[in-house]
Amino acid sequence: MKILVISLAGIGDTLLATPLIHELRENFPGAQIDALVLWRGSKDILQGNPFLNNVFRWDFLKESKIPTLRFLAEMRRQHYDISINTHPQSRIHYRIIARAVAAPIRVSHVYENFGMLDRFLVNRVILQNYAVHTAEQNLALLPLIGAKVLLNEHSLEIFLSDSDEKWADDFLASNNLAGRKILGIHAGSGGTKNLKLKRWPLENYIELLRALKEQRPEITSVLFGGPDENEEILKILEATGTPFAVQAATGNLLQAAALIKRCDGFLSVDTALMHLAAAMKARKQIVIEAPTLNETNVPYGNPFTLIENPAVHGRNLDFYRYDGNGIQGTREELEKCMSAVRPEDVLRILNVLIKVND
């Protein structure tokens, strides 16, 4: 049997598919199980996963039409028996790719924008559910292919190498961080659609870190982010300065995961690195509520503290749903929404969670 797991949405969404991948291997120990991803970070996350045979990556957003058609033709020649579109891949484009790969059994969730064409593209479906976590909704696909949950418990799975662990230890040593409290921070977010508008304002991070520098000088903030977030990171560093803030110049997400594991706390909105922190069982994980956060995508399998956003106030699904669209609201409205969480609100939580003598 040959199974293809299609995970083309966010990097964090690929991480949320790892419990399903593990269950697929438990159910079909002799199968060829491959994954198809879009983002480089998604491939990083699946590198070394012992439950997969191959991880294929194709940038459907940047590659031109002819090379893409050739790639899909090659995937079609793999003759997969089953393809699984993991949650949440609401756009029809993901199901078109499944149809192009042409496995006889094509599994998906049904989203709000599901139409007649979708029923041609995929042929075994269940309704997605906003009250159920994405990782669990992926596991709910198993009966559609004659499988079932076999493991007693599930967690997000990343497999770090010795070199990843050594990189993190060397980073701490080279930045003289031994004996200091370390707060990991991801000030960015995904950049597709209008998801940058769920970021906590840069000036709020700067105000927070200045307050930490004054009140908690034993804490160093380690700033995580990809190349497209470098400008924001440098602005924060310029306003704060070492040793109170340093940049985590990681080469890939596995190095980032190894470093997050060594932090005393981790702060973010709902991003891929929030899920990475959950996978690493990060201590004192703190999440600033953005309009996109809901029961499907909170940190899975790791205790966390939510800093509630008074401008969201339970209306998360009014702002963002899995219907193929971006966050609802104008730029001004969404920026005002994220500004509703004040730096002093975050500082108060940090002071409670990250204690001097712990």
Side-chain angles (χ1 to χ4, degrees):
M1 180 181 291
K2 300 179 74 172
I3 302 172
L4 180 65
V5 177
I6 300 174
S7 182
L8 301 173
I11 297 169
D13 298 325
T14 296
L15 187 49
L16 296 179
T18 56
L20 171 65
I21 290 169
H22 195 161
E23 283 286 2
L24 288 172
R25 179 57 68 199
E26 292 294 316
N27 277 270
F28 307 106
Q32 177 178 323
I33 304 174
D34 299 339
L36 172 60
V37 300
L38 185 149
W39 304 103
R40 186 178 304 278
S42 296
K43 188 169 185 180
D44 287 347
I45 281 171
L46 296 181
Q47 289 292 86
N49 189 310
F51 310 120
L52 289 170
N53 295 95
N54 301 288
V55 180
F56 299 106
R57 175 178 176 259
W58 191 259
D59 193 334
F60 291 94
L61 298 177
K62 292 184 178 179
E63 294 289 347
S64 58
K65 184 181 297 184
I66 298 302
T68 294
L69 290 174
R70 288 174 180 157
F71 171 78
L72 289 173
E74 181 59 34
M75 294 299 293
R76 189 184 186 104
R77 283 191 288 270
Q78 295 287 327
H79 298 295
Y80 288 102
D81 301 289
I82 299 170
S83 68
I84 302 174
N85 280 45
T86 58
H87 189 272
Q89 294 183 93
S90 58
R91 290 186 171 186
I92 193 171
H93 306 79
Y94 303 129
R95 293 181 285 283
I96 291 173
I97 290 167
R99 188 68 181 85
V101 173
I105 297 173
R106 302 180 300 279
V107 177
S108 172
H109 291 87
V110 174
Y111 301 92
E112 294 168 49
N113 56 344
F114 210 80
M116 291 297 295
L117 177 57
D118 295 272
R119 299 189 181 279
F120 165 74
L121 299 174
V122 291
N123 52 22
R124 295 194 185 181
V125 297
I126 59 171
L127 287 171
Q128 76 100 19
N129 186 343
Y130 286 113
V132 178
H133 198 280
T134 285
E136 301 294 332
Q137 295 200 62
N138 285 329
L139 295 173
L141 296 171
L142 289 168
L144 299 184
I145 59 172
K148 61 183 179 180
V149 171
L150 296 176
L151 298 169
N152 292 327
E153 58 183 30
H154 301 96
S155 61
L156 308 184
E157 295 180 319
I158 295 178
F159 299 89
L160 301 179
S161 68
D162 291 342
S163 63
D164 297 323
E165 301 280 12
K166 183 179 184 301
W167 182 91
D169 289 334
D170 289 346
F171 176 88
L172 298 181
S174 64
N175 285 280
N176 299 311
L177 294 179
R180 293 186 64 82
K181 295 290 185 184
I182 302 173
L183 171 65
I185 294 177
H186 183 211
S189 70
T192 57
K193 295 186 278 192
N194 62 348
L195 294 182
K196 284 188 177 181
L197 296 178
K198 70 175 178 179
R199 296 181 181 183
W200 200 42
L202 185 65
E203 58 269 23
N204 285 20
Y205 280 108
I206 291 172
E207 185 177 339
L208 172 66
L209 266 65
R210 283 174 171 164
L212 281 172
K213 180 177 179 179
E214 179 180 342
Q215 298 180 30
R216 301 293 303 276
E218 80 280 8
I219 292 178
T220 292
S221 296
V222 176
L223 305 175
F224 292 80
D228 61 332
E229 297 158 341
N230 193 57
E231 182 179 350
E232 290 88 347
I233 291 173
L234 292 179
K235 287 180 180 178
I236 296 173
L237 289 174
E238 183 180 355
T240 310
T242 58
F244 306 102
V246 296
Q247 183 173 10
T250 57
N252 55 56
L253 283 179
L254 296 181
Q255 290 180 350
L259 188 54
I260 288 171
K261 189 168 71 169
R262 289 156 171 79
C263 292
D264 296 284
F266 190 83
L267 172 68
S268 69
V269 296
D270 53 304
T271 69
L273 266 69
M274 178 194 79
H275 296 301
L276 202 66
M280 291 294 97
K281 308 295 184 187
R283 291 168 284 175
K284 315 299 184 184
Q285 183 167 7
I286 305 161
V287 180
I288 298 172
E289 185 178 24
T292 51
L293 189 72
N294 60 65
E295 289 299 320
T296 71
N297 64 353
V298 295
Y300 184 75
N302 195 48
F304 69 98
T305 298
L306 178 67
I307 300 179
E308 295 186 3
N309 188 329
V312 176
H313 195 56
R315 298 185 299 116
N316 311 68
L317 295 180
D318 292 341
F319 286 100
Y320 189 72
R321 304 178 77 89
Y322 299 131
D323 57 7
N325 297 315
I327 312 173
Q328 298 303 297
T330 66
R331 172 178 291 275
E332 182 181 7
E333 290 168 342
L334 294 174
E335 288 176 348
K336 184 178 179 181
C337 172
M338 290 310 299
S339 295
V341 178
R342 302 169 302 173
E344 54 265 36
D345 299 330
V346 180
L347 181 63
R348 184 173 60 254
I349 296 297
L350 286 171
N351 281 330
V352 170
L353 293 179
I354 304 179
K355 298 181 173 62
V356 174
N357 298 319
D358 283 356

